[in-house]
């Protein structure tokens, strides 16, 4: 399957807007030099970790930065020894126009935007960094990842639970210049609110009860590589300004410390929430959203690429660690898979296959190996108003032929199971969040999970 390719014909390329800036040295020891940089923050100084490294001895190690905001460019001094000047005026912060010269030490510079709009064709690969897809939405995503990964820009990955957002983040890292560096994953929704700051930024010994030793946070551990912040929409509102400062200043302060530590990381985030709506509702900071969503990659749900299911099934069977020798699924199973709406997406498909494997007696998964709730599930339909018996799932084969009580029990069981699968998938297995969202207590959910044999 790794050799499979797809020929592209008459497909319109997608346009990708890449935000870049150009700094040109017009006076000083580096006169004539020019740098094109990715990202919205350009750090200038003599330290090797800066974006622009100058040879001027009158420039501080971390002297100044140019920050690109929406529609404006700001010059900011970083407590330099000899100051930062916009024209003849020493400034702490100042907005730059395209022809404004500014000086750090004895070096004079000009900043200009150098945005690039590139056309991206869908990839011809069907197996891309452990992701599988021959459909146009997936090959389009593969093509975008290839172009985005080559930059240093912050990436926001959106998509429903179970679509494979972490795989996308790993692909961005693996195809980037940071591939040899660490890849650190942090789930913002899986850590209690009082520990998030310590986990992200680290802590010093004695900073709080239980802090028996100093410990670096995720950002320090990812130095030279990539930080993947999963479920970024779950980050507590009070910590969002601290994350914003890390993104802007590229340095962290451990809990209990008065010193900052420089970090060289690329940030990739993911969410299944509508962050724009969260911004409008006051649950997510607008400035942080625009800092994170410099480049956005959307992972399509499985129901929008059902043609990929045969490839996915083959891939999942090959990669299963406990496959007893199963090589395919029966035709009726294939038709059921392609007709199901997959609220849990690829993760749910993987779970269904993994649960079916121990019950297979041959080389093929059959209907009898699948959970009953899945076998009687309603075939997928576009999200449009349903009417009559179909709205209740009563068009499932054989249901209307049962006695009323048996039919009712079967439909309720199918509803309960599907509701639970969707609920748990949407909340990443977090029982507390699932309970809050459903209006049930944890014990009721646990009882239903046990009843329907959902692990």
């Amino acid at each position: 399957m790794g050799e499979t390719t797809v020929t592209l014909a008459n497909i319109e390329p997608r346009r990708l807007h890449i935000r870049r800036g150009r700094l040109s040295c017009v006076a000083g020891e580096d006169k004539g030099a020019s740098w094109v940089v990715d990202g919205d923050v350009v750090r200038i100084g003599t330290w090797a970790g800066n974006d622009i490294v100058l040879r001027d001895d009158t420039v501080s190690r971390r002297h100044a930065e140019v920050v690109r905001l929406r529609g404006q460019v700001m010059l900011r001094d970083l407590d330099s020894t000899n100051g930062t000047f916009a024209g003849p005026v020493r400034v702490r912060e100042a907005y730059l126009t395209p022809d404004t010269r500014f000086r750090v030490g004895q070096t004079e510079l000009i900043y200009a935007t150098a945005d690039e709009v590139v056309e991206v064709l869908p990839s011809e690969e069907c197996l891309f960094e452990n992701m599988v897809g021959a459909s146009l939405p997936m090959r389009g995503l593969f093509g975008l990842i290839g172009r985005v990964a080559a930059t240093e820009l912050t990436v926001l990955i959106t998509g429903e639970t179970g679509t494979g957002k972490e795989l996308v983040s790993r692909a961005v890292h693996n195809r980037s210049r940071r591939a040899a560096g660490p890849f650190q994953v942090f789930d913002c929704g899986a850590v209690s609110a009082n520990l998030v700051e310590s986990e992200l930024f680290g802590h010093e010994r004695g900073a709080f009860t239980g802090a028996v030793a100093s410990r670096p946070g995720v950002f320090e551990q990812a130095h030279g590589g990539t930080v993947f912040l999963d479920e970024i929409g779950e980050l507590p509102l009070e910590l969002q300004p601290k994350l914003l400062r890390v993104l802007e200043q590229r340095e962290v302060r451990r809990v209990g410390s008065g010193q900052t530590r420089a970090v060289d990381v690329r940030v990739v985030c993911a969410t299944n929430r509508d962050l724009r709506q969260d911004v409008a509702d006051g649950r997510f900071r607008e400035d942080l959203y625009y800092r994170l969503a410099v480049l956005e990659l959307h992972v399509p749900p499985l129901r929008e690429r059902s043609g990929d299911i045969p490839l996915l099934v083959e891939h999942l069977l090959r990669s299963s660690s406990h496959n007893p020798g199963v090589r395919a699924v029966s035709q009726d199973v294939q038709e059921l898979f392609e007709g199901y709406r997959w609220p849990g997406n690829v993760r749910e498909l993987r779970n269904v296959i993994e649960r079916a494997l121990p019950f297979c007696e041959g080389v093929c998964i059959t209907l009898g190996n699948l959970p009953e709730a899945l076998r009687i599930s309603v075939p997928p339909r576009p999200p449009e108003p349903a009417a009559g018996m179909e709205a209740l799932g009563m068009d499932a084969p054989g249901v209307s032929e049962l006695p009323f009580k048996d039919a009712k029990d079967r439909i309720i069981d199918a509803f309960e199971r599907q509701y639970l699968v969707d609920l748990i998938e949407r909340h990443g297995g977090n029982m507390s969040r699932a309970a809050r969202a459903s209006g049930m207590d944890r014990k009721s959910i646990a009882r239903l999970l046990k009843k329907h044999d959902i692990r």
Side-chain angles (χ1 to χ4, degrees):
M1 185 175 60
E3 300 298 323
T4 304
T5 60
V6 177
T7 302
L8 307 175
N10 301 321
I11 295 176
E12 288 292 324
R14 293 181 63 176
R15 286 180 168 81
L16 179 65
H17 184 187
I18 299 178
R19 297 170 67 172
R20 290 194 169 112
R22 179 185 295 275
L23 265 170
S24 302
C25 183
V26 295
E29 194 168 348
D30 292 289
K31 182 179 180 179
S34 182
W35 304 268
V36 175
V37 291
D38 294 328
D40 290 333
V41 181
V42 182
R43 188 67 62 88
I44 305 166
T46 57
W47 176 53
N50 291 308
D51 302 292
I52 307 299
V53 181
L54 300 175
R55 295 177 292 173
D56 185 349
D57 290 339
T58 63
V59 171
S60 298
R61 282 173 52 81
R62 287 183 286 181
H63 195 109
E65 65 185 8
V66 176
V67 180
R68 184 170 173 176
L69 307 170
R70 284 179 293 158
Q72 295 179 309
V73 178
M74 175 179 284
L75 172 67
R76 181 182 294 151
D77 183 74
L78 299 177
D79 295 323
S80 63
T81 300
N82 294 320
T84 299
F85 294 78
V89 180
R90 182 167 182 168
V91 297
R92 178 71 177 176
E93 290 182 342
Y95 287 105
L96 299 178
T97 62
D99 57 349
T100 301
R101 296 188 176 196
F102 65 93
R103 180 165 53 85
V104 293
Q106 297 300 316
T107 299
E108 197 167 1
L109 302 161
I110 293 179
Y111 177 87
T113 58
D115 289 7
E116 182 181 2
V117 177
V118 297
E119 293 187 339
V120 182
L121 280 168
S123 171
E124 296 188 9
E125 299 179 65
C126 293
L127 178 61
F128 185 93
E129 293 288 339
N130 208 34
M131 291 180 288
V132 176
S135 62
L136 186 58
M138 287 305 291
R139 289 187 289 114
L141 176 63
F142 298 161
L144 286 173
I145 291 172
R147 295 306 299 260
V148 166
T151 74
E152 284 290 303
L153 298 175
T154 304
V155 179
L156 176 64
I157 305 168
T158 61
E160 297 176 6
T161 296
T163 51
K165 296 188 290 296
E166 184 172 340
L167 289 178
V168 173
S169 72
R170 289 184 181 276
V172 170
H173 173 74
N174 292 341
R175 297 282 175 123
S176 75
R177 295 188 291 269
R178 297 176 176 269
F183 179 83
Q184 291 290 329
V185 179
F186 182 78
D187 188 338
C188 299
V191 179
S192 60
N194 61 321
L195 293 178
V196 171
E197 183 176 7
S198 169
E199 292 292 321
L200 280 176
F201 311 130
H203 62 257
E204 296 293 352
R205 179 181 178 183
F208 51 84
T209 303
V212 296
S214 297
R215 181 176 180 275
V218 169
F219 277 89
E220 286 186 72
Q221 295 174 49
H223 184 75
T226 303
V227 169
F228 173 51
L229 301 178
D230 199 7
E231 300 301 341
I232 187 65
E234 303 296 330
L235 186 69
L237 190 61
E238 62 271 17
L239 289 182
Q240 292 176 20
K242 296 185 178 182
L243 176 59
L244 181 63
R245 283 197 294 273
V246 172
L247 296 176
E248 289 182 343
Q249 300 174 11
R250 280 178 286 182
E251 57 188 22
V252 297
R253 178 181 285 109
R254 294 182 181 180
V255 177
S257 173
Q259 297 181 336
T260 59
R261 291 174 167 81
V263 288
D264 172 25
V265 298
R266 182 184 192 171
V267 176
V268 179
C269 301
T271 184
N272 61 4
R273 300 173 63 114
D274 183 348
L275 288 188
R276 291 185 181 89
Q277 187 60 50
D278 284 349
V279 169
D281 294 340
R283 292 193 298 266
F284 202 84
R285 288 180 61 105
E286 183 179 25
D287 47 4
L288 178 58
Y289 169 74
Y290 284 106
R291 182 67 67 196
L292 297 174
V294 177
L295 290 172
E296 188 168 331
L297 298 174
H298 179 69
V299 189
L302 186 54
R303 63 182 172 276
E304 293 181 5
R305 57 183 190 105
S306 59
D308 287 336
I309 288 178
L311 279 175
L312 282 165
V313 169
E314 179 187 350
H315 175 70
L316 293 170
L317 288 174
R318 286 175 181 266
S319 59
S320 173
S321 60
H322 64 276
N323 188 340
V326 177
R327 295 194 289 271
V329 299
S330 65
Q331 183 61 36
D332 47 5
V333 169
Q334 186 65 47
E335 291 174 359
L336 186 150
F337 281 179
E338 293 180 6
Y340 181 55
R341 289 198 61 80
W342 297 110
N345 293 294
V346 179
R347 183 183 296 147
E348 185 183 1
L349 174 62
R350 181 192 300 114
N351 290 342
V352 166
I353 289 176
E354 292 285 349
R355 290 184 61 191
L357 286 175
F359 300 101
C360 293
E361 296 180 353
V363 296
C364 190
I365 295 177
T366 65
L367 280 177
N369 305 137
L370 301 180
E372 181 182 9
L374 185 63
R375 296 199 301 270
I376 67 170
S377 61
V378 184
R381 294 181 175 82
E384 58 187 20
M389 302 293 268
E390 292 183 0
L392 299 174
M394 291 297 289
D395 58 335
V399 173
S400 59
E401 299 174 6
L402 296 173
F404 174 79
K405 183 179 184 305
D406 293 343
K408 178 181 177 182
D409 289 344
R410 178 172 291 191
I411 293 301
I412 290 175
D413 283 347
F415 162 76
E416 285 182 353
R417 188 183 194 287
Q418 195 53 61
Y419 180 86
L420 289 167
V421 168
D422 187 23
L423 179 71
I424 297 302
E425 290 286 350
R426 281 190 296 110
H427 295 283
N430 187 304
M431 293 282 284
S432 296
R433 297 209 319 257
R436 288 195 298 270
S438 65
M440 296 189 292
D441 58 50
R442 287 172 57 96
K443 290 183 179 179
S444 296
I445 292 180
R447 176 177 54 78
L448 289 172
L449 290 174
K450 183 177 180 180
K451 171 185 173 183
H452 295 286
D453 193 26
I454 299 173
R455 298 182 177 87

